[in-house]
Amino acid sequence: MAELDDSAAVAVVGMAIRVPGAERDLDRFWRHVHDGVDAVSVFTPEQLVGWGVPKDLVERPGFVPARAVLTDADRFDHRLFSYSPSDSALMDPQQRILLECAWAALEHAGHPPVAADGNRVGVYVGTGLNVYLLDNVWPNERAVEAAGGLGVIIGSDKDFAATRIAYKLNLQGPALTVQTACSTSLVAVHQATQALLTYDADVALAGAATVAPPTRRGHLHEPGGIFSADGRCRTFDAAADGTVPGDGAGVVVLKRLTDALRDGDTVHAVIRGSAVNNDGARKAGFTAPGPTGQAAVIAAALEVADVDPDTVGLIETHGTGTALGDPIEVAALRQVFDSARPDRAPCALGAVKSVVGHLDTAAGVVGMIKTVLALTHRTIPPIAHLRTPNPAIRLDGSVFELPTTARPWAPVDGVRRAGVSAFGIGGTNAHVVLEEAPPIAARPRRHVPQLVLVSAKTAAVAQESLDRVTAFAAGTAPGDLADLAYTLRTGRAELPWRAAVLTGVNDGVARLRKVDATARARGVALHLTGAGAVTGNRPNYDADPVYRRTVDEGVALLRGHDLDDSVRERGDRLLACVGLTRSLRSRGVTPRALAGDGVGAVAAAVVAGVMSLADALALLRDTDDPGIRLHPAALPLLIDGRPDDSAFWRAAALRPPTSTPPPDAPDQVLWIEVGTTVTPHLDADQPPLPANRHARLLATVGALWQLGLTDSWDPVHDTGRRRLPAPTYPFAATRHYLDAPGADPTTERRH
């Protein structure tokens, strides 16, 4: 098999969904796809009338009371995104759901959902028709008057779907709203892919949301039309008579493949190529499918991907389940995929609409996410409701098969590949060629305690997040815990309510604390003593590159010198003290001041930049070395004496240490004693300290982080780390909704 050009490939590194039946749960969504579970709901006349659906419509012949709906689509985490309740209620629920999906998708990718300045993260999203504006907002004269004309427009207009995400998440790449009807989200994927390949963006979000209020639950069936007579979408089945509308959303996070592999991202699948076109006038009518355009866009995507059609094992079709559309779509596929190769493996067709209904603008990206999951699980999923293939679909002599049960996905020519199609009313067609992710090389891993950080906007959400994360960590392979800790530390927003967990030490046992503005104002000081047992720092040496580098440097400087036991012990204490202090600072601990006693005073001088480690060790050897160079301190140094006199430092090294706080420390400053181990003196509520010295250091860093007293870690701690999918933010479900006139709001809560 010829090698493909990875420089033109794009990685899917993160995903988020809101789909009927599975909501935000990707694993549950896959189980539903795998088992062919139908997520369409059927409603009673009482429910529909209670939601504000006109009674005469409910009673009309041909009315089908079915739709695939979301739970809690009327709810939104306004606190997380800093919206007022009134603004939240006014906003199009589709855009609220997209905002939450964008946050969750970035977290799933292991990227912080609120990006740092200077980022080049693009956003390409769309929404369906804002029926909420028509049915719920406009009739509410009081809310419209209070919001004003501009307020209504800002909360309702499709134009702001992408820019709202960019503003709230500080994403500074292109932010474009895409609108091509049913193909919107797959066109958005294509545009995001192009932006990455032309370097308009370094990371890109793509997706869409379609959500209608309860007033639109149900549809009228017309023979030969696009809507099903019984509320079931039977794609490719002889009984297929139309599709079923559904509510849903999906967002994917994309990066150039080479960047994703370099950065340690989890690659869920690879986009090898994509294409977009339009039918033009080459079809029976504006809403009719166009086989010529469909075949052309698929062929173009394969050509861009440089992929042989014979190596594609699955096509996720547009698959609306209409008597007209299904045969036309298969005919178009046959133009591209029919093969003369005698050993051509069968190519399965898929149709996610048979599970979750037709999600309109979100249909393409949800079909793509389903296909990415199929590649990940190496499984061909079934088409739900398929009993007897539609005789109008000519499969004889074709490469295609219609799976009715899930089966293992065998690679073709050593690789698994798939295609995803989406065709919009009006003729804009999109196709994406996917390939399974490249294998990840095994790496040697140390099993050491890891600091797992969790934060949220409120205490209740923080507790739920903590419960999820500790349960997830308990099921994570020990060798992956370092990657999990890295992902949660670097790939999440730092919010006010916080918890810190040490794996293998206090798994699941952690206290929630809110960032303390008073503690942040007080700051933290380090009192370096060098006191404590000399032995016992092997865990720090093995697990901490900053500590190990300091010790190795010191040992090399002492090598070859004839040292008595007392000098050697003082040297060990100095190296431990300097190494631990440097390690704290490399983990974001920025002290307001340094103090020290005995060997610790010399260590403080090294850390503050007054002298080098080599000169400090020379002092301990009691050599009158005229080459010792002293410099102004780069950090406030609370030392009682002459820091510009080498004799002062030589004398200080001989004084016995003390662990009392320095008398001239800033008022009320929190302080940490650094001897041969780390001992925090924060407040009466500080956590118990583990015996393992490396765990003790991490526990101290975690306690400071909870108080808001740490910054970013030195990248040296993250060398070789990978981003892993981990539990995402558990959005707080608060109802913000303007009910339709005459609707009973309790009806929705009873659904």
Side-chain angles (χ1 to χ4, degrees):
M1 182 182 66
E3 290 293 326
L4 297 180
D5 182 7
D6 282 350
S7 67
V10 167
V12 181
V13 297
M15 302 177 286
I17 54 168
R18 283 290 298 278
V19 295
E23 292 299 323
R24 297 180 172 93
D25 192 329
L26 285 164
D27 291 334
R28 185 185 303 171
F29 174 53
W30 170 248
R31 290 196 300 270
H32 288 184
V33 167
H34 180 278
D35 298 338
V37 174
D38 193 319
V40 173
S41 298
V42 178
F43 314 108
T44 67
E46 292 75 20
Q47 285 178 311
L48 294 165
V49 172
W51 289 324
V53 181
K55 190 171 184 293
D56 62 338
L57 176 61
V58 174
E59 295 175 346
R60 189 179 304 178
F63 181 79
V64 182
R67 187 178 179 93
V69 299
L70 298 176
T71 302
D72 294 342
D74 58 343
R75 296 172 180 265
F76 176 58
D77 194 339
H78 74 283
R79 292 181 183 86
L80 178 63
F81 296 103
S82 300
Y83 278 108
S84 70
S86 58
D87 285 345
S88 299
L90 197 70
M91 194 191 312
D92 180 2
Q94 299 175 120
Q95 296 198 32
R96 303 187 326 197
I97 286 172
L98 264 183
L99 190 53
E100 291 185 348
C101 279
W103 181 291
L106 284 166
E107 286 195 333
H108 186 254
H111 289 261
V114 180
D117 282 345
N119 70 84
R120 287 162 30 89
V121 181
V123 185
Y124 299 82
V125 296
T127 66
L129 176 66
N130 187 357
V131 185
Y132 178 71
L133 172 66
L134 303 178
D135 290 7
N136 299 47
V137 176
W138 277 125
N140 195 316
E141 296 179 2
R142 180 179 299 177
V144 170
E145 182 178 352
L150 182 59
V152 173
I153 292 171
I154 294 297
S156 303
D157 199 310
K158 286 182 174 184
D159 285 2
F160 305 119
T163 52
R164 186 186 312 280
I165 293 170
Y167 172 66
K168 284 296 178 179
L169 305 187
N170 195 36
L171 309 181
Q172 297 169 5
L176 306 179
T177 297
V178 181
Q179 296 299 156
T180 62
C182 319
S183 59
T184 292
S185 56
L186 209 62
V187 171
V189 169
H190 169 76
Q191 290 192 322
T193 298
Q194 295 305 303
L196 293 168
L197 296 179
T198 57
Y199 289 81
D200 282 346
D202 294 327
V203 179
L205 282 71
T210 290
V211 182
T215 49
R216 300 301 174 109
R217 290 180 179 171
H219 61 265
L220 286 171
H221 168 73
E222 297 177 358
I226 64 172
F227 294 125
S228 166
D230 65 354
R232 293 289 175 266
C233 181
R234 296 180 171 84
T235 307
F236 302 130
D237 194 87
D241 61 358
T243 194
V244 183
D247 300 330
V251 171
V252 293
V253 181
L254 308 178
K255 289 180 73 171
R256 290 180 289 273
L257 177 61
T258 51
D259 291 355
L261 295 175
R262 177 200 66 204
D263 296 342
D265 295 297
T266 291
V267 177
H268 301 279
V270 176
I271 297 175
R272 281 293 175 190
S274 63
V276 169
N277 73 359
N278 192 277
D279 295 331
R282 299 172 295 178
K283 55 184 180 178
F286 183 73
T287 63
T292 303
Q294 292 178 15
V297 78
I298 295 168
L302 287 164
E303 184 175 0
V304 168
D306 194 23
V307 163
D308 183 347
D310 284 350
T311 64
V312 175
L314 173 66
I315 298 291
E316 174 61 27
T317 66
H318 190 58
T320 56
T322 60
L324 177 65
D326 288 357
I328 286 178
E329 182 169 7
V330 172
L333 286 167
R334 291 195 63 169
Q335 292 181 45
V336 180
F337 287 94
D338 272 358
S339 173
R341 177 173 164 175
D343 62 342
R344 168 59 157 114
C347 179
L349 300 182
V352 75
K353 292 179 180 65
S354 65
V355 173
V356 295
H358 191 344
L359 305 186
D360 191 44
T361 61
V365 73
V366 171
M368 176 175 158
I369 290 171
K370 167 204 164 180
T371 308
V372 170
L373 293 172
L375 284 164
T376 302
H377 290 276
R378 299 181 174 184
T379 299
I380 298 290
I383 300 171
H385 307 306
L386 182 60
R387 302 293 180 265
T388 304
N390 185 344
I393 297 174
R394 297 174 52 232
L395 293 178
D396 292 345
S398 78
V399 302
F400 298 115
E401 64 174 8
L402 302 176
T404 57
T405 59
R407 64 168 173 80
W409 185 345
V412 180
D413 291 352
V415 67
R416 295 173 183 84
R417 293 193 178 119
V420 182
S421 292
F423 310 132
I425 285 179
T428 296
N429 308 305
H431 191 80
V432 173
V433 179
L434 294 173
E435 183 176 288
E436 64 185 334
I440 300 297
R443 299 167 298 154
R445 297 168 177 173
R446 289 192 178 100
H447 297 178
V448 299
Q450 301 294 334
L451 181 62
V452 175
L453 306 177
V454 175
S455 70
K457 198 66 175 280
T458 65
V461 177
Q463 185 62 56
E464 183 178 353
S465 186
L466 176 61
D467 293 343
R468 290 185 184 185
V469 166
T470 51
F472 186 85
T476 299
D480 291 332
L481 287 173
D483 291 337
L484 175 64
Y486 163 70
T487 300
L488 294 174
R489 174 169 52 80
T490 63
R492 299 294 185 266
E494 292 193 335
L495 299 169
W497 281 95
R498 300 182 176 184
V501 179
L502 283 173
T503 64
V505 179
N506 66 336
D507 294 328
V509 181
R511 297 173 306 106
L512 288 175
R513 293 195 65 164
K514 191 174 185 180
V515 169
D516 189 334
T518 302
R520 294 182 73 166
R522 291 163 66 186
V524 63
L526 303 183
H527 184 212
L528 281 60
T529 67
V534 175
T535 59
N537 263 323
R538 184 73 196 197
N540 278 315
Y541 184 87
D542 288 342
D544 191 326
V546 173
Y547 184 87
R548 183 166 57 252
R549 185 170 57 206
T550 299
V551 171
D552 287 348
E553 179 187 357
V555 169
L557 289 168
L558 292 173
R559 188 175 294 121
H561 293 282
D562 186 15
L563 305 175
D564 62 32
D565 290 344
S566 64
V567 172
R568 189 174 298 280
E569 179 183 332
R570 281 185 291 155
D572 289 343
R573 292 184 183 278
L574 175 77
L575 294 179
C577 202
V578 172
L580 290 172
T581 305
R582 286 176 172 175
S583 183
L584 285 170
R585 296 193 67 197
S586 74
R587 287 179 168 83
V589 179
T590 303
R592 288 183 59 184
L594 294 173
D597 291 303
V599 171
V602 180
V606 173
V607 174
V610 172
M611 68 181 75
S612 68
L613 184 61
D615 286 345
L617 290 170
L619 281 174
L620 295 185
R621 296 197 309 269
D622 201 26
T623 61
D624 187 13
D625 185 349
I628 291 177
R629 292 170 297 278
L630 300 177
H631 309 280
L635 284 170
L637 193 58
L638 307 178
I639 298 293
D640 186 15
R642 290 281 308 278
D644 58 348
D645 182 358
S646 59
F648 161 77
W649 292 111
R650 187 174 293 106
L654 299 176
R655 287 198 299 270
T658 175
S659 60
T660 58
D664 50 353
D667 290 344
Q668 298 299 311
V669 71
L670 303 172
W671 63 287
I672 298 172
E673 178 190 349
V674 185
T676 57
T677 187
V678 172
T679 304
H681 299 269
L682 304 178
D683 54 32
D685 201 26
Q686 74 179 35
L689 296 173
N692 177 290
R693 289 194 182 179
H694 183 62
R696 189 182 179 103
L697 182 143
L698 293 178
T700 301
V701 173
L704 291 170
W705 176 79
Q706 286 186 272
L707 293 169
L709 287 168
T710 64
D711 299 312
S712 299
W713 290 24
D714 189 305
V716 69
H717 295 293
D718 302 330
T719 302
R721 296 274 69 84
R722 291 180 53 231
R723 298 183 176 97
L724 299 179
T728 55
Y729 195 84
F731 300 104
T734 305
R735 192 172 196 266
H736 300 291
Y737 212 70
L738 300 174
D739 293 297
D744 176 4
T746 64
T747 306
E748 178 65 11
R749 290 194 285 272
R750 291 196 303 267
H751 169 63

